Amino acid sequence: MSVQRATISPKIKLLRNRLQHTVQLSAQKAAAHLENPSKYPLPAGNDSLEHAITSLVNALPKRRRDKFIDHLKGELNTTPAKRKQKYGQLASVDLKANTSIADQVKALALPEEMKLTDKELTDIKKRYKAIPVPKPVAVPGPTPRQAAPGTILQFAVENITCVETNDARKDEVQFSAFVVDSTGARQERNNFFSADFKKGDSKSPGAAGNLFTINLGDSTGGVFPATFAGGVLIVEEGFFGGSERVEVAGAIMRVVGKVIMAGGLVTSFFPAVGLPITIALIGLGAVVTLSGDILLFSGGDEISQVLPDELVLETPPLAGETFARTVEIGFEGDGFIKKGKYSVNLRWTVA
């Protein structure tokens, strides 16, 4: 079921800041590595956020790589006092270590002002109760069979509407999408639909919008609550060449997936809440928006935001349950949302 939002408490704001700083420090580490790899080695393996960011930046044209590094140089060269003022406890994170930024943050004791009491944890879990999905109106006829437990979860993009174009007259755009489950497993589909849009145009990808099938047993291990996130990325068709566009779109979605899973930083301190509620508590949209400094250099006005929808299933779902959502996506430019906005209708279906 989807979850209700609780009022953001001062402690939650501090936890969000901690996650935001983790993302920013990971971006700084990637920029430092690109300029001086021997001084700033990446962690072993390729599962870190720094690896994902580095792969994305390496897929960009040289001028954008240089812009990314130059932008973050200022942060790298600030005085220890200024870093302490901005990052607080996280100023002690060592960008020269070959341990990932997220692992270093996990190793730090959580400050007292961020710790949630048992009562607060209980209140959080109560607030995030499932919102009942309206059931279809019964019609006369044979008594329907009792719904069976669902075994798969499907993610689809049903309709796309251009609220405002990014270009003066019309947009020529391509759409990519991804899903992530609470185990961190990610699926992606690059350029599943392309079309020209004028302001007010509404188009359906049709069968091409039936994107992902997730095995509920594999993705949850039978443990609930379970969290799923799905998002859409829009790329101006003429900006990158075909193979370049696929590479960059995939790299962006890998970064977003890693940012989402960085939400586990909070879970490590509050296991009683669990990852599904933690992601909802922090707010996926807020978490992914934290990567704006990274995505800004992946295309500027030509690549959209990525604001995933989140689905939390508190209990095993029944076959036939559906969850319809609408997300609005804008384009990034110079750190601000610029002209160009799309409304995307998504649907999760249990089968």
Side-chain angles (χ1 to χ4, degrees), residues 11-255:
K11 289 183 179 180
I12 298 305
K13 288 181 180 178
L14 290 173
L15 290 169
R16 281 190 179 182
N17 285 340
R18 189 177 183 86
L19 185 53
Q20 178 177 7
H21 291 157
T22 300
V23 174
Q24 290 173 341
L25 290 168
S26 297
Q28 290 175 28
K29 173 63 177 279
H33 172 79
L34 287 165
E35 189 167 53
N36 193 335
S38 61
K39 187 176 180 181
Y40 298 94
L42 291 179
N46 58 4
D47 199 39
S48 67
L49 177 55
E50 296 96 300
H51 269 283
I53 296 170
T54 301
S55 295
L56 168 58
V57 178
N58 278 331
L60 302 177
K62 184 178 183 303
R63 63 186 178 85
R64 291 198 181 275
R65 290 200 301 270
D66 293 343
K67 188 178 180 182
F68 173 81
I69 293 170
D70 289 344
H71 175 74
L72 291 173
K73 261 185 185 176
E75 288 286 334
L76 287 167
N77 295 327
T78 53
T79 65
K82 286 186 177 179
R83 289 184 73 82
K84 177 70 174 176
Q85 183 179 19
K86 179 173 182 177
Y87 297 111
Q89 182 194 37
L90 301 197
S92 64
V93 165
D94 185 2
L95 299 183
K96 297 177 184 177
N98 60 3
T99 304
S100 74
I101 301 301
D103 284 344
Q104 291 188 57
V105 172
K106 284 181 184 179
L108 296 172
L110 194 68
E112 287 297 322
E113 64 270 21
M114 296 185 195
K115 291 182 179 179
L116 299 173
T117 65
D118 289 342
K119 182 180 183 305
E120 288 169 327
L121 288 172
T122 300
D123 288 345
I124 287 168
K125 295 178 80 172
K126 285 180 180 177
R127 289 175 183 178
Y128 287 92
K129 292 299 183 185
I131 300 173
V133 177
K135 298 190 179 299
V137 177
V139 295
T143 303
R145 289 179 299 174
Q146 187 173 0
T151 58
I152 61 173
L153 180 66
Q154 299 165 329
F155 176 86
V157 172
E158 295 195 314
N159 195 68
I160 302 165
T161 300
C162 178
V163 179
E164 188 172 9
T165 58
N166 193 40
D167 287 342
R169 192 174 67 88
K170 69 174 183 178
D171 289 344
E172 298 176 359
V173 287
Q174 291 192 334
F175 297 83
S176 297
F178 72 95
V179 290
V180 180
D181 65 34
S182 54
T183 70
R186 189 190 72 255
Q187 299 180 55
E188 62 185 57
R189 186 77 57 82
N190 291 320
N191 305 332
F192 69 88
F193 180 61
S194 58
D196 295 348
F197 282 86
K198 292 182 180 180
K199 183 175 180 178
D201 283 352
S202 186
K203 301 184 180 184
S204 171
N210 297 323
L211 293 166
F212 307 111
T213 297
I214 303 166
N215 183 298
L216 286 170
D218 293 343
S219 62
T220 68
V223 178
F224 290 85
T227 300
F228 305 86
V232 175
L233 172 72
I234 310 173
V235 181
E236 286 275 16
E237 197 164 281
F239 182 63
F240 294 108
S243 61
E244 254 188 338
R245 184 165 52 245
V246 170
E247 185 180 0
V248 170
I252 290 173
M253 290 188 287
R254 283 189 288 278
V255 169

